[in-house]
Amino acid sequence: MTLAMWLAIFATLYGLGMWLLLPRRIAAGRAAGAVLMTAAVAILGTRLVPPGALTTNILFYALAAVTVVSAVCAMTFRSPVYSAIFFAVSVLATAGLFLVNGAQFLGVAMVVVYAGAIVVMFLFVLMLAQPEGLAFYDRLAFEPLLCSVSSGVLVFLLTITLLTPGTLPSVAPLAEAGADGRAADGLPGVEAEAHVAAIGARLFSEHLISVQVVGVLLFVALVAAAAIASQSRRSPPPRTAEGGTA
Amino acid sequence: MNEVALLQNYLVVGGLLFAIGLVGFMTRRNTIVMFIALEMMMQGVAVSLVAWSRFHNDFSGQMLVIMIIAVAACEAAIALSLILMLARRSSNLDIAFWQLLREEGQEPTLDEEVPAAEIEHEPWPELTPAGVEPELDPEKVRYRSHV
Amino acid sequence: MFEPQLLMRVIPALPLAAAVAIALLGPRVLKRSCHALLVVALLGSLVASVLLARQVLTAGAHGEDHAGKNHAAAAASPEADEHSTAAEIPQTTLWRWAAVEGATSSSAATYASSGGEPFAESQPLDFTIDITLRADALTAIMLVMVTFVSLLVAIYSIGYMHDDRGYWRFFSYVGLFVFSMTMLVLSSNFLLLYVFWEAVGVCSYLLIGFWYEKPEASAAGKKAFLVNRVGDFGFALGIFLIWTLFGTLNFHDTSAIDGVLGLNRIEAAAYPAGIVATAICLLLFVGACGKSAQFPLHVWLPDAMEGPTPVSALIHAATMVTAGIYMVARCTPLFAASGYAGYVVAGIGGFTALLAGLIAVTQTDLKRVLAYSTVSQLGYMFLALGVGSAAGIAAGMFHLITHAFFKALLFLGAGSVMHAMGGVIDMRRFGGLRRLMPVTHWTFLIGCLALAGLFPLAGFWSKDAILAAVYDEAAAHGTGDWEHAATFFNYLFLVASFTAFLTAFYTFRAFFRTFYGEERIPPEAGHHAHESPAVMTVPLMILAVLAAVSGYLLHVNETFAHWLAQTPGIPAVVHHEGHSSSHSFVAMLSTILAVGGIGLAAYFYLGELTQIDRIARWLRPLYVASYGKFWFDPLYQLLIVGPLWLLAQLAYFLDRYLIDGLVNLVGYLPRVFGGVLRRVQNGMLQLYVLGMIVALLLLAAAVVLPRLPVPEKPAESEATSVQPSPAPIRVGHRPPTLPSPDHTSRPLRGEGVR
């Protein structure tokens, strides 16, 4: 079996599983979809090259599996509340992946900003806008088959491009530079103690203007959000738009 | 440590996150879930950036991710307030409600029939309206109707 | 007194100014008083024309030994001396219209002047067209006639058009026409002549189709315009030939070159002879045939009667249709040089006179009878011009003037009848109107007598002059080589005499059927059935007086001939014959013929109409042919209009269905594709994302798949995953054009912090 065939099987299973999992008219087949999706993730896992030592491998595979599976769950569960919660799980696992990959600060930031702030905000909005729970439009997906097929093609193209030997640089720029400070266990390329300090130093020296711009952006967004939200309060009573709600 | 394999694996994970987010964005009709899907796609991009940052031993990728997180926060604030406004106008979160910007003479894409049968049989979680004490319906309590 | 140069500018300027003012102010400001402006302008033009004519005619007559009563006083005026010593022909240049340097060579000019010998040395000459006005005797006579008739017609129109919706439009057109006509006779250049030749054609077209809501009127306008194009085509070719030969189109001499009709050339008789001259003359004559409605282009004039009757009187009887006569008379030196062209002119003229007279005998439409009579009389004039003698040309122009008076009178009288009968002009539907419309009756009678040529009315003198000229010409060619010519002119004399008889007959047929017999009034007349108002009858009376006396006044002492002889070119080049003693014979003959025609008409048409029916049955083939106008219209329809119509239909269908179809297809295809694509544009955001993703996937597949490594065993590989590629680039090997990246030499961005 060539890599392409494996990946084709993976993409097919993925697409099929995604189609079965997505909200549809019929509830049947979701378990089969879960099985197929799990199989697809497993097949893809077998195609990956273990990156290093055993601990690292275990950590990576576990976190990656949690990330992907919870992402699938977030997209396919019918309740938006569950979606938000699974998204939080996915974000947490991604933070773990960041830690494994030597980006400790980002891992923490992801947890704080995404899982801590944004997901909570989602839940608040859900509470405000959809207090009655599950609505009919959460049980109907738009063009599930077409989207699943295109997504399957997309993951096939992505994985075959990434996993075919030779498409990526075959040698890391600093592969031989293991001596100059890279930890032996393959964890962060820079010393852990110096990491946040180094990021901070870079952030406020090299990227100072970007930081300022982002700060301004945040402020503007704050004002805008407040303005929009207050405007909506004064807005006239809901009018019936054509289409939409049946 | 196989740096190339590490990069490859992280990129695959990032690509998968992106693809899954894309499916969610295209299929789900709840605006909040669509927004979650959007965030997930950005997360996939962030994973890829971090992997490249590691590979090149260069902080620029991580810097970019920091910016992404900040922009995502802005985006979340504005998008959620917009969603809130739309929800107030249409009294739901359905994106299909907002299809007025179409070609003249084009029939609206009508909703499919609501599968009514599932409503009774499946217990769906329900959020308590903020600041209101939930009324405990003894029949609903059996179905774990609140989260 | 006034300078002739000033008068020449004033004469056309006043009608033009009136026309423009009426066109601009008519519908809003002037409304029902448009006529005042035009009448005042035409009166001014008439006064200026008379003044100009006095100066021109007396200046030219100075020193000549004759004592015409009419201008004895004028010759005594002191101004006459000044002008006779100055330039013999007053002319004025308004501005230079066109100037092309070195457009022609002097050899062309000298070719003509040297009688056909090519000049060895040729120098480039400038081709210039000046807007030059020039007034000689011929022009002056025409000017007086045109402005006088148009003034009377304009006054008459006040009554005739009084409740028409296009009141202001009518007077504006008439003003424009008078401007064009005066400019036509004043212009001193063939190109300018052509321009105003077309301008009067346009005015004629506009006025024939004045009631454009009527399909017949618009069709008649179109017909007149198109038939005239045939003649104008010949005219244009003639002008081209003149320019090729003479190197100039000017009538007058300039410092650079002798004019075509200039004094220098006339005195030197420097005209080419032979076939080239004949060609020029015949081409010009084609143009004259079109404008003056001669066979075979006569078919437009009867249809032109669809226009308002004052227009028929002014344009289609008195002035515009005589432009062809004027042009041939103006080009007398050319025709004289040709030798043969005159026979063609005379032949066509005589044939047309007879043909139109025969048709006029049976027409029942009063205006059409008069129209065919006009065609016939124009043929008479051409016959006279074709004779080529001084007497002939003088007779032709004389008939032109008298005919203008009595034919305008007849048309205006017919208009008066038509006005009273509520637009009905068919003679079978009314009759016995002499008690109802006494003024019209008497003036019409005078016009008829004049047209019939009864002594001593105007028509008698001019028609007699023409017959005499033809008779003299036949006699002059009596023997020798010219025997055929003599036979030719003898036949023409017979034809002309018979036509004179016919003229008297059909004129009085119309007169008797209209004014005598049982009084019948069609129901359309309504309350109109009474004598016309004074504003219409006074012009009739003035014209009646002129129709009665103008012939004698102009004929006595050969006044008109002497006036015309002052035109340079006419006396110098035409051959003179001694006055024969035959005039009394001709006069007696024509009087007998006229009286006979009148008597025959009275016999047939006074009282019961039983006799004429018997005659019509007896001469059935001739009657049918005449009533059917000798089938010229169906013939042209079959031979010319039909094929052209078929061709046009073909072109129409090609254009409509092939070319338009292609163009529409070009426009239709995007609509079809758009119709397919607009269903995609359904406002669903997610569908747009899906479209983007599908496109992205296609692009990515196109980029990625060909670069994947070819598996070792193609049979085992999945065909879906690997696109066959003729020259697959192995992944890992970048395309050779790209520089190979050197990872090891890249600077380490993180170094600083370590």
Side-chain angles (χ1 to χ4, degrees), chain B residues 28 57-58 103-104 109, chain C residues 678 681-682 686 749 754:
Chain B
R28 300 305 300 269
N57 202 10
D58 187 334
E103 271 293 316
E104 199 181 347
T109 310
Chain C
R678 67 185 282 154
Q681 195 82 6
N682 62 355
Q686 289 161 310
R749 305 294 298 275
R754 283 202 303 267

Side-chain angles (χ1 to χ4, degrees), chain B residues 22 24-29 34 56-60 95-96 98-99 101-107 109, chain C residues 678-691 693 696 743 746 748-751 753-754:
Chain B
L22 192 62
F25 187 80
M26 288 193 292
T27 55
R28 300 305 300 269
R29 285 168 52 178
M34 282 174 75
H56 289 298
N57 202 10
D58 187 334
F59 278 121
S60 296
I95 192 72
W98 304 102
Q99 46 175 317
L101 202 64
R102 61 174 178 267
E103 271 293 316
E104 199 181 347
Q106 185 78 19
E107 287 295 313
T109 310
Chain C
R678 67 185 282 154
R679 299 176 59 186
V680 174
Q681 195 82 6
N682 62 355
M684 287 293 284
L685 183 67
Q686 289 161 310
L687 193 74
Y688 302 167
V689 178
L690 185 60
I693 294 303
L696 181 74
H743 294 294
R746 287 184 62 177
L748 302 177
R749 305 294 298 275
E751 253 175 350
V753 280
R754 283 202 303 267

Side-chain angles (χ1 to χ4, degrees), chain C residues 105-121 245-246 265:
Chain C
S105 63
S106 62
S107 63
T110 49
Y111 170 80
S113 54
S114 62
E117 292 289 324
F119 199 62
E121 206 71 25
L245 274 181
F246 292 87
R265 196 182 292 279

Side-chain angles (χ1 to χ4, degrees), chain B residues 23-24 46 64 66 69 83 85 98 130 135 138 143:
Chain B
V23 176
L64 204 50
I66 291 172
I69 291 171
I83 286 170
M85 199 175 78
W98 304 102
E135 284 180 28
Y143 295 112

Side-chain angles (χ1 to χ4, degrees), chain C residues 604-626:
Chain C
F604 282 135
Y605 290 100
L606 278 178
E608 293 299 311
L609 301 183
T610 50
Q611 301 283 341
I612 191 65
D613 287 342
R614 199 176 305 145
I615 296 289
R617 273 198 298 278
W618 184 49
L619 289 174
R620 180 125 192 106
L622 192 61
Y623 175 79
V624 170
S626 166

